[in-house]
């Protein structure tokens, strides 16, 4: 039986931390559960999951649906689309069975690209390689989670660019139902010697097709300014966590007048594991800072519950502080007494 390879290329950059990555995990698990009960998918569909942040990694090698077990998703720093594409092309070269005089090869692979942030690297070389070697040999569906994406990059990869309005848990359920229905339809198509990819009808108000001719030119950057994210370590457990702020209007008082100003509102603090450092961009340090005046809200530590989850050491790194008289920086080991100060300061952010 000829295979229908299906690759999920998933952005696991810091901007995905929290509810978003949890919904994606649950959604992928639902997809696989549904496909395991579909006779056409069981016969043809093979699935792989590749994640990318600053680096890229295969977390589920290409395998039959019946053997597939949904994974936990890691988080990393940066959104290196070039590394994500490069790793995808490597997997395609390694795994694709070509048609020869003695055998029929795989059906044209289907790639679902999920991303919610602006690429933080120059992806032009990887995009050129994709266009030259793989664009005509695959069916790639690029899906933007929300409306903050640099969609101009996605239109370079494919004619099929979709916008997913990820506003509620129900919208995530509808989105993954659409993915499942599209895979099932494609499995039926190839089983009946059809053309291959058959996308299901889009769910109104949840998923919409983007008119790529109206998209603005590519605007590469090296930090995702839609979020301000800070890497921190728990003083007690030594485990890393991320403090995530989302860009938006926030109330400010200027000369006694209540006004609104653009800044960053706290989204939450989320524990991550050491895979965070493995998937982060090489070097890991960027020359981008955020002033504390731009931030609204400060978290407790998600690892140990310390009251102050956003304390800054003289080394410039962030860690948590509790009621102890002398605190120890989880990054550099320096000890000192912490307190509240007047004024503001610039703090190193991650790439997002």
């Amino acid at each position: 039986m000829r295979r229908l390879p299906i690759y999920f290329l998933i952005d696991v950059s810091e901007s995905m931390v929290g509810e978003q990555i949890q919904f994606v995990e649950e959604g992928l698990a639902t997809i696989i559960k549904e496909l395991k009960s579909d006779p056409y998918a069981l016969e043809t569909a093979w699935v792989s999951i590749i994640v990318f942040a600053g680096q890229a990694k295969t977390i589920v090698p290409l395998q039959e649906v019946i053997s597939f077990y949904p994974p936990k998703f890691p988080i990393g720093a940066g959104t290196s689309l070039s590394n994500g594409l490069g790793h995808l092309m490597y997997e395609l070269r390694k795994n694709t069975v070509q048609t020869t005089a003695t055998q029929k090869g795989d059906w044209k692979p289907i790639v679902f690209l999920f991303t919610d942030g602006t690429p933080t690297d120059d992806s032009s070389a990887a995009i050129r390689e994709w266009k030259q070697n793989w664009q005509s040999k695959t069916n790639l569906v690029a899906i933007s989670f929300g409306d903050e994406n640099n969609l101009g990059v996605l239109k370079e990869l494919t004619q099929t660019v979709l916008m997913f309005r990820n506003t509620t848990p129900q919208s995530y359920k509808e989105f993954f139902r659409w993915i499942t229905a599209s895979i099932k339809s494609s499995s039926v198509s190839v089983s009946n010697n059809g053309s291959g990819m058959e996308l299901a009808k889009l769910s109104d108000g949840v998923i919409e097709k983007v008119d790529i001719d109206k998209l603005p030119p590519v605007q590469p950057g090296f930090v995702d300014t839609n979020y301000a994210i800070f890497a921190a370590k728990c003083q007690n457990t030594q485990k890393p966590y991320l403090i995530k702020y989302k860009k938006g209007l926030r109330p400010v008082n200027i000369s006694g007048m209540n006004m609104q100003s653009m800044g960053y509102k706290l989204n939450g603090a989320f524990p991550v594991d050491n895979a965070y450092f493995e998937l982060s961009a090489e070097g890991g340090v960027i020359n981008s800072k955020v002033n504390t005046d731009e931030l609204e809200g400060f978290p407790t530590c998600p690892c140990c519950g310390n009251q102050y989850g956003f304390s800054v050491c003289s080394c410039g790194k962030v860690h948590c502080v509790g009621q102890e008289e002398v605190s120890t920086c989880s990054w550099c080991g320096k000890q000192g007494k912490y307190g509240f100060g007047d004024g503001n300061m610039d703090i190193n952010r991650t790439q997002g």
Side-chain angles (χ1 to χ4, degrees):
M1 179 65 68
R2 298 174 70 181
R3 303 184 306 177
L4 175 61
I6 298 167
Y7 290 88
F8 289 94
L9 179 59
I10 299 177
D11 173 359
V12 293
S13 60
E14 293 154 317
S15 53
M16 288 286 286
V17 75
E19 281 191 340
Q20 278 184 276
I21 202 64
Q22 292 174 11
F23 285 138
V24 171
E25 282 182 359
E26 293 168 4
L28 263 293
T30 300
I31 288 173
I32 298 304
K33 181 179 178 181
E34 290 292 323
L35 294 181
K36 285 182 177 180
S37 64
D38 183 84
Y40 291 99
L42 281 173
E43 285 192 2
T44 61
W46 286 54
V47 180
S48 175
I49 296 180
I50 299 168
V51 296
F52 71 98
Q55 305 294 329
K57 180 180 181 180
T58 298
I59 59 172
V60 178
L62 190 66
Q63 59 189 258
E64 295 176 281
V65 167
I66 195 66
S67 303
F68 190 101
Y69 185 80
K72 291 287 290 181
F73 285 83
I75 292 290
T79 308
S80 176
L81 183 59
S82 60
N83 280 339
L85 278 177
H87 196 83
L88 171 64
M89 290 185 282
Y90 165 77
E91 291 287 344
L92 287 167
R93 282 193 298 270
K94 182 176 71 170
N95 295 321
T96 304
V97 177
Q98 304 293 338
T99 297
T100 66
T102 58
Q103 71 172 359
K104 288 187 176 181
D106 292 333
W107 297 101
K108 184 183 284 190
I110 298 173
V111 179
F112 291 102
L113 166 60
F114 301 168
T115 181
D116 85 323
T118 302
T120 55
D121 65 346
D122 182 356
S123 305
S124 55
I127 290 172
R128 283 195 300 270
E129 183 182 351
W130 175 262
K131 287 180 173 180
Q132 181 178 345
N133 298 322
W134 292 103
Q135 193 172 59
S136 63
K137 298 176 182 177
T138 61
N139 291 307
L140 190 150
V141 182
I143 303 159
S144 166
F145 278 40
D147 58 2
E148 296 103 343
N149 250 26
N150 190 338
L151 294 173
V153 173
L154 301 183
K155 77 172 184 178
E156 296 291 316
L157 300 174
T158 177
Q159 295 289 306
T160 310
V161 178
L162 305 178
M163 183 80 74
F164 165 47
R165 303 294 183 182
N166 53 332
T167 54
T168 65
Q170 183 59 34
S171 66
Y172 274 95
K173 291 179 182 178
E174 291 185 37
F175 170 68
F176 284 106
R177 276 198 290 265
W178 174 81
I179 293 281
T180 304
S182 297
I183 294 174
K184 287 183 177 181
S185 297
S186 300
S187 297
V188 171
S189 175
V190 297
S191 296
N192 295 328
N193 293 312
S195 59
M197 185 174 74
E198 296 283 346
L199 295 181
K201 184 180 182 296
L202 297 177
S203 180
D204 292 339
V206 177
I207 314 167
E208 63 185 65
K209 196 171 190 300
V210 176
D211 185 349
I212 62 174
D213 294 330
K214 295 182 180 180
L215 291 176
V218 176
Q219 297 291 334
F222 296 95
V223 62
D224 186 349
T225 57
N226 295 300
Y227 299 91
I229 299 175
F230 304 89
K233 266 189 182 181
C234 174
Q235 180 181 185
N236 293 315
T237 68
Q238 300 299 305
K239 292 181 178 179
Y241 61 96
L242 297 176
I243 305 170
K244 179 180 179 181
Y245 292 81
K246 187 171 183 179
K247 195 172 187 178
L249 290 173
R250 59 194 181 90
V252 294
N253 187 288
I254 301 177
S255 301
M257 297 179 62
N258 293 323
M259 304 176 68
Q260 286 193 321
S261 174
M262 189 62 70
Y264 294 96
K265 299 175 72 173
L266 180 66
N267 180 261
F270 308 95
V272 293
D273 57 30
N274 286 324
Y276 169 77
F277 300 106
E278 297 171 14
L279 280 170
S280 297
E282 290 184 7
V285 177
I286 57 170
N287 186 26
S288 181
K289 299 178 183 293
V290 175
N291 192 276
T292 51
D293 272 353
E294 299 177 67
L295 305 177
E296 179 185 344
F298 294 93
T300 58
C301 177
C303 299
C304 73
N306 265 346
Q307 185 175 358
Y308 306 106
F310 200 141
S311 301
V312 184
C313 175
S314 60
C315 72
K317 298 290 186 70
V318 178
H319 64 97
C320 69
V321 168
Q323 299 298 323
E324 65 279 350
E325 183 177 352
V326 177
S327 300
T328 304
C329 174
S330 314
W331 299 91
C332 70
K334 289 181 182 177
Q335 293 188 320
K337 296 182 178 181
Y338 285 70
F340 294 98
D342 296 326
N344 54 71
M345 63 184 299
D346 292 331
I347 305 175
N348 289 321
R349 74 196 301 172
T350 65
Q351 285 187 289

